[in-house]
Amino acid sequence: MFHRSARGLLGATALGLLALAVPACDGKRTSATVGGSPAAATPPKGPLADWDGVAAALILTGQQDGYLEPCGCSEGQKGGMARRLDLLKKLEARGWPLVRLDLGSLIHDPADARGGAEEERIKLGIALKALNVMKYDAVALSADDLKVGIDKAIGEYLNVGERPKVVAANVVPASGLESVVARAVRVKAGPIRVGVTAVLDPAAFAALNDPNKEMLAVKGADEALKATLKDLENDTDFQVLLVQEAPPATLDLPGRAPKKAAALAKAFPGFDVVVATSDVPDPEREPSWVNGGKTMLVQVGRKGQYVGVVGLGADRKAKPRYRLVELDLSYDKKTEPLRALVDEDFQALLKEAGVVEDFPKHAFVDGAPGSTFVGALACKECHEKTYFKWVSTKHARAFDALTADRRRDRRFDAECIACHATGLEYTTGYRSEALTPYLKGNQCENCHGPGSKHSAAPDDASFRKAVALTPERAERTTCLKCHDADNSPHFKFPEYFDKIRHKGLDTYDDPKVHKGIDPKAFAKP
């Protein structure tokens, strides 16, 4: 599911990147290869086919930001949890034991989410179930995920069961909630024992405006990590730290890792891998190395477009490999059971909760005061040629696109309805097929604003001005509400605007077009 925030959707695949070459160092791992075994006579096909000697692999993801899948509005979209599962299955087929870790931030900020707060709450539960299906071992506690409400987030954590375990070394749950958050987890992957912990930036937690903050106590990261790392070093071979940093992340190493993650990596050289938050969807392909080349510092980007894979060799002294894998079109976005979880279970929950029908609404303030949405058929009464121009465009068929694939019905998904119906966020806008069928599709009023006043009194200059839209305003704001970098990455205003341009198609010399109509005759179920 996609949001209004921007990202680049097309890029060269990371699968063809060369294996990372790093110089020898004085740390406990000195070889630049994994294991050092010779290449197989017949190399395996698929992702990371050039890697050999892998005794176990770490799967690193995070900051999904609510992008459970490519929305399908345009070609070439990357990412999605079903594609991630496809990658995991292919790596498992290589016989690699996997340790699956997520940095958290599974959802988008509910206050800025196109689908609204209730959809994000439901999405958190679905994202956790997806991690459970993919057998994730740990997910870091994130302030972003707590924005649905700390009590609601804890409820979703408890519902998902024992896997993945929510981890934060510096977070202490209130009495009775001790099982919600673990200081660390230990995972056996083949011959290698991996210890995993995480920290939540106290500043990120402090910024939350939530009446239930007493359910969690957050202390300083350094104090918590000192004891946790010591425990992990006693009974694990390889230690991983997930760092949830408060935004905006101040870059320390240029173009690389946020300041706090880099500082913790240097302060606690016992960690072999530190995973940091990112401010951008597309992270650096190669890791930074600190502590004389011992500690790998990585970012996996935002919106679930990439998976970081760390290859561990059986030789304890071998430096691990790292590859950032792009979830592009070579991976199956319909991998079961993740497809069913997102396309069916998630949609059923949205329908049951009435997310679209009960979407929070507000008055339209840029038009004629008191004007309401009436639908394109009302506009047709005076603007007949313009109406048929609209009918010839994809805007008119936008709602039909939501049900074109019977296994992918999106009529109850507010993120989709926001751009495939008319006026969802406004008081008199779209509510449902049953209640407002006259507002299905991307109609005139999504661009021009509610038209009841103008249609009732077409010669009133103030009402005409209220629904007027200049190309300059359309390019600057209106079109970009839906044609953003997520859903319409190839959008070019002049080219697209020419397809819908309708100025001067109608003449208004017929006296009937000046009499006005009763808009209520059109705005009814």
Side-chain angles (χ1 to χ4, degrees):
M1 319 313 292
F2 289 136
H3 301 287
R4 67 192 66 180
S5 50
R7 68 165 169 156
L9 289 168
L10 296 175
T13 175
L15 299 180
L17 292 177
L18 297 175
L20 176 66
V22 293
C25 66
D26 294 331
K28 64 182 180 183
R29 294 175 177 84
T30 56
S31 173
T33 63
V34 178
S37 59
T42 305
K45 297 180 179 180
L48 303 165
D50 56 323
W51 283 13
D52 63 344
V54 175
L58 307 182
I59 302 300
L60 306 176
T61 56
Q63 294 182 279
Q64 189 81 25
D65 289 346
Y67 291 73
L68 300 180
E69 61 163 356
C71 82
C73 288
S74 65
E75 296 296 324
Q77 293 174 325
K78 60 191 178 186
M81 286 189 157
R83 283 180 176 154
R84 189 192 305 179
L85 179 59
D86 186 35
L87 168 64
L88 296 182
K89 287 184 174 182
K90 289 174 179 176
L91 296 181
E92 287 176 329
R94 299 276 301 274
W96 293 1
L98 302 179
V99 179
R100 302 161 175 88
L101 309 175
D102 194 272
L103 185 58
S105 297
L106 298 171
I107 60 172
H108 195 69
D109 186 342
D112 190 41
R114 179 174 279 162
E118 181 64 6
E119 179 154 331
E120 290 304 307
R121 182 195 65 78
I122 296 172
K123 189 180 291 183
L124 176 60
I126 290 294
L128 288 167
K129 288 180 181 177
L131 295 183
N132 180 275
V133 168
M134 289 186 282
K135 303 177 183 177
Y136 265 69
D137 298 290
V139 56
L141 183 64
S142 161
D144 293 327
D145 295 334
L146 297 177
K147 288 179 180 178
V148 298
I150 293 174
D151 56 337
K152 293 176 181 178
I154 286 177
E156 297 296 345
Y157 294 147
L158 291 172
N159 286 338
V160 78
E162 290 298 315
R163 191 169 184 169
K165 194 64 183 176
V166 180
V167 181
N170 64 325
V171 176
V172 180
S175 177
L177 298 174
E178 292 86 356
S179 65
V180 174
V181 182
R183 288 176 56 205
V185 297
R186 293 160 171 81
V187 185
K188 187 74 160 53
I192 300 175
R193 297 165 299 175
V194 179
V196 183
T197 190
V199 290
L200 171 61
D201 190 342
F205 185 78
L208 294 176
N209 182 18
D210 193 302
N212 296 301
K213 277 189 174 181
E214 70 278 359
M215 299 178 76
L216 300 172
V218 181
K219 56 186 180 179
D222 291 49
E223 175 189 352
L225 284 180
K226 188 177 300 184
T228 303
L229 177 59
K230 183 178 180 180
D231 287 344
L232 290 176
E233 288 178 324
N234 287 333
D235 57 5
T236 60
D237 307 306
F238 197 88
Q239 292 81 41
V240 181
L241 172 62
L242 311 173
V243 181
Q244 267 288 345
E245 186 159 343
T250 303
L251 297 182
D252 183 27
L253 301 175
R256 300 298 179 94
K259 185 175 182 180
K260 183 171 288 293
L264 290 174
K266 295 171 184 176
F268 297 94
F271 287 109
D272 300 282
V273 173
V274 175
V275 186
T277 52
S278 176
D279 286 337
V280 296
D282 298 295
E284 291 289 332
R285 295 300 203 270
E286 297 182 358
S288 302
W289 292 88
V290 297
N291 300 322
K294 175 194 174 297
T295 303
M296 178 189 296
L297 188 59
V298 301
Q299 294 171 288
V300 292
R302 304 188 75 102
K303 305 181 183 180
Q305 298 176 23
Y306 298 93
V307 174
V309 183
V310 179
L312 307 179
D315 181 358
R316 298 282 73 78
K317 294 183 179 180
K319 183 181 289 291
R321 280 183 176 181
Y322 180 74
R323 180 76 55 82
L324 191 68
V325 179
E326 181 181 275
L327 295 178
D328 60 12
L329 301 182
S330 65
Y331 296 95
D332 187 1
K333 67 178 181 180
K334 296 183 178 180
T335 307
E336 299 291 357
L338 259 295
R339 184 212 61 81
L341 181 65
V342 174
D343 286 350
E344 298 171 17
D345 299 352
F346 180 42
Q347 302 308 314
L349 289 172
L350 294 176
K351 179 181 179 181
E352 180 182 355
V355 167
V356 169
E357 188 167 328
D358 298 330
F359 191 84
K361 296 178 181 294
H362 58 88
F364 190 95
V365 297
D366 293 328
S371 193
T372 60
F373 287 86
V374 294
L377 284 175
C379 304
K380 179 187 175 186
E381 292 296 296
C382 297
H383 304 280
E384 186 173 18
K385 291 182 179 179
T386 299
Y387 172 83
F388 284 112
K389 171 69 175 181
W390 169 76
V391 167
S392 72
T393 69
K394 290 183 179 180
H395 281 173
R397 303 186 295 277
F399 193 89
D400 297 335
L402 301 182
T403 58
D405 184 343
R406 288 180 296 175
R407 298 203 308 166
R408 200 172 178 276
D409 189 339
R410 290 297 187 273
R411 288 175 295 168
F412 309 102
D413 191 324
E415 282 186 3
C416 300
I417 287 292
C419 289
H420 289 255
T422 301
L424 174 66
E425 66 180 290
Y426 300 113
T427 307
T428 63
Y430 181 87
R431 289 194 64 194
S432 70
E433 278 190 282
L435 296 172
T436 52
Y438 56 92
L439 295 178
K440 294 195 301 182
N442 196 324
Q443 300 188 22
C444 318
E445 292 167 296
N446 263 352
C447 295
H448 293 276
S452 67
K453 294 284 188 179
H454 170 62
S455 62
D459 288 338
D460 187 304
S462 65
F463 296 158
R464 286 203 309 269
K465 182 178 180 181
V467 296
L469 178 67
T470 65
E472 292 75 21
R473 180 183 171 194
E475 180 177 13
R476 188 174 63 253
T477 58
T478 307
C479 298
L480 295 178
K481 290 179 180 178
C482 291
H483 289 282
D484 59 13
D486 281 329
N487 302 318
S488 190
H490 310 299
F491 179 73
K492 297 178 181 178
F493 179 80
E495 177 183 331
Y496 278 57
F497 192 69
D498 279 345
K499 297 177 181 180
I500 65 168
R501 189 187 298 272
H502 49 269
K503 184 177 181 179
L505 295 182
D506 286 288
T507 58
Y508 306 104
D509 50 2
D510 189 333
K512 74 174 185 179
V513 306
H514 298 277
K515 292 180 180 180
I517 62 173
D518 177 9
K520 293 181 180 178
F522 299 89
K524 59 184 180 180

